[in-house]
Amino acid sequence: MGMTGFTVALMLIGVIIYPCVCVKEFSDHQEIKIQTLLKRLNKHALISVKSVDGDIIDCVPIHSQPAFDHPLLRNHTIQMRPSFIPEITSTYTKKCTKATQAWHKSGRCPENTVPIRRIMKEDILRSKSIESFGKKTTSSIPENDPSKDHEYAVMNSMQGKYFGTKFAVNMWKPEVQVPNEFSLAQTWLVSGVGTTRNTIEAGLQVYPGKYGDNNLRLFVFWTANGYQGTGCYNNDCAGFVQRSNKIAVGGTYNTVSQYDGDQYELSVLIWKDGENWWLQIGEEIVGYWPGQLFNSLGNGGTIVQWGGEIVNKETDGKHTGTDMGSGHFAEEGYKKASYFRNLMTIDETNTLREPQGVYPTTGHDNCYNIKAGDGGTSWGVNFFYGGPGLNERCP
């Protein structure tokens, strides 16, 4: 074979082999990054619980949890309990059955450990990238949300100074049409604007693109720069400090409300104590967001929001059929539509008060809507919300 022929042969071989080498090198590099992230997030557990929903809950020593990998928390002294819990002076009746997390059927975590949902390789591969795992990649604030595929039905407080909120949220398991959509019910405590925006968020969500299933899950979230890279869901990065050995953020609830049947709800309390922002679910103190994570929230939030959010990917060019709440419109009312009740905010004196002048934000009322409930009842400030998405009136 002449030189020219040999060169051509090498070029042909290069065309065939070179991409394969690149793919293998990329694959090996990706695998190393995934394993490094898994090793960082999944701390050594004293015991592990295999939940009936498929999760593995690791009981991690409280001082070894992922939160303390944050550079601002390396010398953090964990707070085992808040100095106070805001008390309610008004009637706050509970009409619904208590909900428990699914993993409790298989075991419990010992004292001085915290239950953390184990992150699997598949969880990371479902994210848009390894670097974006656990993060929100677009703004997720109901007002002035630049992301066109997010839709909301929320109640907003007036602008002011807020140091927490308390409410009860009805528990439903909404149907989500495609894996990269979600449906949630949550609260937002917000301060700042743009890249200085701080949020503390907590609630319930169905998000198959994150968790790999359609289970209803408790979640927490935070950002300190307007969703531009800081913060994350649950224990997916260093930040939120777990305190409870009974409730796992990211954990599943199998007990959900039925249409015209039994109703379940979750009581949520978030409040600022010193520098830290605490979370209580029902009667259990779950943990806190350390004040060091934030800047503008140190002076309190400026607005509080409560309600539902979905993602609409317009599969096949049509509006999504993903449910918000129960999947039924607000006007259907109790046992049929989802609700938030007994909305309260916390002022600078650490007093729980009913918010005045709340107002709604919605996108497409023919897809999802919201309706204020009757005042002057034991439900206090309340509202119904939700909808089925795609229907004869929703494009």
Side-chain angles (χ1 to χ4, degrees):
M1 182 180 293
M3 181 63 69
T4 302
F6 182 72
T7 303
V8 170
L10 286 177
M11 290 174 65
L12 289 173
I13 292 171
V15 169
I16 297 170
I17 295 177
Y18 182 71
C20 297
V21 172
C22 283
V23 169
K24 185 177 187 305
E25 287 178 351
F26 174 78
S27 178
D28 288 347
H29 179 62
Q30 184 186 45
E31 182 66 22
I32 291 170
K33 290 175 71 175
I34 290 172
Q35 292 303 321
T36 300
L37 180 58
L38 288 171
K39 185 176 181 180
R40 185 167 76 243
L41 294 177
N42 293 325
K43 304 300 185 182
H44 173 71
L46 290 185
I47 64 169
S48 297
V49 178
K50 180 67 183 294
S51 177
V52 293
D53 64 340
D55 284 351
I56 297 176
I57 303 297
D58 289 326
C59 302
V60 175
I62 194 167
H63 294 284
S64 300
Q65 60 183 291
F68 303 121
D69 289 340
H70 196 289
L72 296 177
L73 302 178
R74 293 281 167 80
N75 298 314
H76 180 78
T77 300
I78 189 169
Q79 306 298 299
M80 296 304 293
R81 59 189 60 83
S83 64
F84 75 97
I85 301 174
E87 296 295 334
I88 297 173
T89 56
S90 61
T91 304
Y92 193 81
T93 57
K94 294 184 179 180
K95 297 179 180 293
C96 300
T97 310
K98 182 180 179 181
T100 57
Q101 291 193 317
W103 67 277
H104 290 176
K105 295 181 180 179
S106 304
R108 298 294 178 101
C109 283
E111 292 294 323
N112 298 316
T113 68
V114 291
I116 296 179
R117 178 181 178 271
R118 185 181 299 178
I119 305 301
M120 311 299 285
K121 179 179 177 179
E122 292 74 19
D123 294 324
I124 298 173
L125 291 175
R126 280 191 298 271
S127 63
K128 290 184 177 181
S129 67
I130 297 172
E131 292 74 19
S132 67
F133 173 71
K135 302 181 184 303
K136 294 185 181 181
T137 53
T138 60
S139 173
S140 187
I141 296 293
E143 287 194 334
N144 302 317
D145 184 358
S147 177
K148 295 180 180 179
D149 58 0
H150 287 243
E151 296 184 26
Y152 302 92
V154 305
M155 281 291 181
N156 308 272
S157 72
M158 301 292 286
Q159 288 280 337
K161 276 292 183 185
Y162 301 102
F163 295 87
T165 181
K166 186 178 176 85
F167 58 91
V169 56
N170 199 195
M171 301 175 70
W172 293 84
K173 185 179 177 181
E175 294 291 330
V176 174
Q177 182 173 317
V178 292
N180 58 343
E181 295 180 344
F182 64 65
S183 182
L184 59 76
Q186 71 163 84
T187 187
W188 294 259
L189 282 114
V190 185
S191 68
V193 295
T195 57
T196 65
R197 172 158 279 169
N198 292 191
T199 74
I200 284 174
E201 306 174 31
L204 298 163
Q205 67 181 170
V206 174
Y207 192 175
K210 172 170 175 52
Y211 302 103
D213 57 39
N214 291 285
N215 294 327
L216 180 69
R217 295 174 178 272
L218 173 70
F219 79 93
V220 300
F221 187 86
W222 65 277
T223 182
N225 65 350
Y227 305 97
Q228 300 303 305
T230 63
C232 63
Y233 281 108
N234 307 329
N235 307 110
D236 293 350
C237 69
F240 182 79
V241 177
Q242 187 95 0
R243 180 263 195 199
S244 169
N245 68 331
K246 297 180 177 66
I247 293 180
V249 292
T252 291
Y253 289 97
N254 286 339
T255 46
V256 297
S257 301
Q258 301 298 316
Y259 185 80
D260 209 19
D262 291 340
Q263 299 297 295
Y264 293 85
E265 65 181 28
L266 212 61
S267 173
V268 179
L269 171 63
I270 298 172
W271 76 104
K272 190 172 189 289
D273 177 27
E275 291 187 349
N276 303 325
W277 292 82
W278 286 83
L279 172 68
Q280 180 172 299
I281 300 295
E283 303 301 318
E284 183 71 10
I285 297 174
V286 179
Y288 60 91
W289 294 268
Q292 295 97 312
L293 299 176
F294 306 106
N295 36 69
S296 59
L297 261 177
N299 297 318
T302 55
I303 191 170
V304 186
Q305 298 164 308
W306 311 263
E309 176 187 358
I310 64 95
V311 169
N312 172 27
K313 291 299 184 182
E314 295 187 338
T315 305
D316 298 325
K318 298 179 180 179
H319 192 284
T320 183
T322 287
D323 293 339
M324 182 186 290
S326 68
H328 292 262
F329 288 112
E331 53 268 24
E332 291 196 39
Y334 183 58
K335 289 193 174 184
K336 297 176 181 178
S338 189
Y339 63 80
F340 280 69
R341 69 177 179 92
N342 293 99
L343 302 185
M344 307 284 281
T345 56
I346 301 173
D347 65 15
E348 63 277 2
T349 68
N350 300 320
T351 302
L352 279 157
R353 300 185 186 277
E354 289 191 347
Q356 302 299 308
V358 295
Y359 63 95
T361 296
T362 58
H364 301 92
D365 283 2
N366 289 333
C367 307
Y368 312 103
N369 69 354
I370 191 167
K371 181 178 182 291
D374 295 331
T377 69
S378 62
W379 279 35
V381 178
N382 67 92
F383 64 89
F384 291 89
Y385 74 99
L390 182 65
N391 66 82
E392 63 275 8
R393 296 182 299 154
C394 175

